[in-house]
Amino acid sequence: GAGVSQSPRYKVAKRGQDVALRCDPISGHVSLFWYQQALGQGPEFLTYFQNEAQLDKSGLPSDRFFAERPEGSVSTLKIQRTQKEDSAVYLCASSLIRAGVKGEQFFGPGTRLTVL
Amino acid sequence: AQRVTQPEKLLSVFKGAPVELKCNYSYSGSPELFWYVQYSRQRLQLLLRHISRESIKGFTADLNKGETSFHLKKPFAQEEDSAMYYCAPSSGNTGKLIFGQGTTLQVKP
């Protein structure tokens, strides 16, 4: 595998639509993170998975945001009833090691979401 | 609350000049500190981490616990160093990164 991949790379949604963003981490990586990066800002943490377990979802901004990683590999971030303020780049990162061990995170290229 | 401050949005220097990108953090416990870099049209990638104490591409960063700073330095900037730089402590429980706002380094010929 070449690295972390994300799809789609660009998504335009009308306000109120649901969207699903996919992340394929590096094979064998235990940890998976989602971040949201608004224009001109640094990335902000959304949620964390260790294998299939979602251990931290403290950064999800509302109950419209939902993430899953059912088989401990591919992850999907779903946003329901999108709002304009959801417009951002959504970054996925994976790490070989488990929670609490502070290792390097490998980032995907991001999905740029624009809500009209 | 955990906070990271990178006071300069843009730092512009000439090739060969010294560079210092500032980072201050407020954090409880003993964070692991990272610098990540994003070159034009590339993805975010690790530049260096405090614990390894290594120099990458000529950059070093010293942790000053008294001042809670982790400034990134390079004695002689190169044009290929032009990029966005993020300081990011890692939170203890999950390893999540807390990013600063980022500093754009522009190295002029």
Side-chain angles (χ1 to χ4, degrees), chain A residues 41 49 90 109:
Chain A
Q41 302 295 318
F49 290 87
Y90 290 85

Side-chain angles (χ1 to χ4, degrees), chain A residues 15-49:
Chain A
R15 191 160 60 98
Q17 279 185 331
D18 297 348
V19 298
L21 312 180
R22 177 187 168 108
C23 171
D24 283 85
I26 294 172
S27 178
H29 276 199
V30 169
S31 293
L32 187 145
F33 302 81
W34 283 99
Y35 295 87
Q36 180 191 57
Q37 186 172 20
L39 190 64
Q41 302 295 318
E44 290 192 6
F45 170 79
L46 293 176
T47 188
Y48 166 74
F49 290 87

Side-chain angles (χ1 to χ4, degrees), chain A residues 52-72:
Chain A
E52 69 279 3
Q54 189 174 20
L55 299 186
D56 186 346
K57 50 183 181 179
S58 62
L60 296 176
S62 78
D63 58 9
R64 296 186 295 104
F65 286 71
F66 172 76
E68 60 183 4
R69 194 187 184 197
E71 296 178 0

Side-chain angles (χ1 to χ4, degrees), chain B residues 13-107:
Chain B
V13 302
F14 285 102
K15 176 182 169 182
V19 168
E20 182 179 52
L21 288 82
K22 293 185 168 54
C23 171
N24 291 88
Y25 64 93
S26 65
Y27 202 93
S28 57
S30 300
E32 174 64 28
L33 288 141
F34 298 84
W35 277 95
Y36 278 79
V37 61
Q38 188 166 26
Y39 300 101
S40 178
R41 288 185 288 279
Q42 293 187 28
R43 59 186 69 189
L44 203 54
Q45 59 185 283
L46 178 67
L47 178 63
L48 59 79
R49 56 188 299 183
H50 159 246
I51 198 169
S52 58
R53 299 192 181 280
E54 54 191 347
S55 171
I56 304 294
K57 300 185 178 183
F59 285 96
T60 57
D62 289 323
L63 175 61
N64 185 320
K65 289 187 178 179
E67 296 178 1
T68 59
S69 68
F70 189 53
H71 302 329
L72 184 69
K73 300 177 184 179
K74 184 169 182 176
F76 308 103
Q78 303 300 314
E79 289 181 67
E80 55 266 29
D81 296 329
S82 296
M84 175 70 89
Y85 291 80
Y86 292 99
C87 177
S90 174
S91 172
N93 290 338
T94 62
K96 66 187 178 188
L97 296 168
I98 309 297
F99 285 89
Q101 302 97 316
T103 297
T104 299
L105 174 63
Q106 183 183 75
V107 182

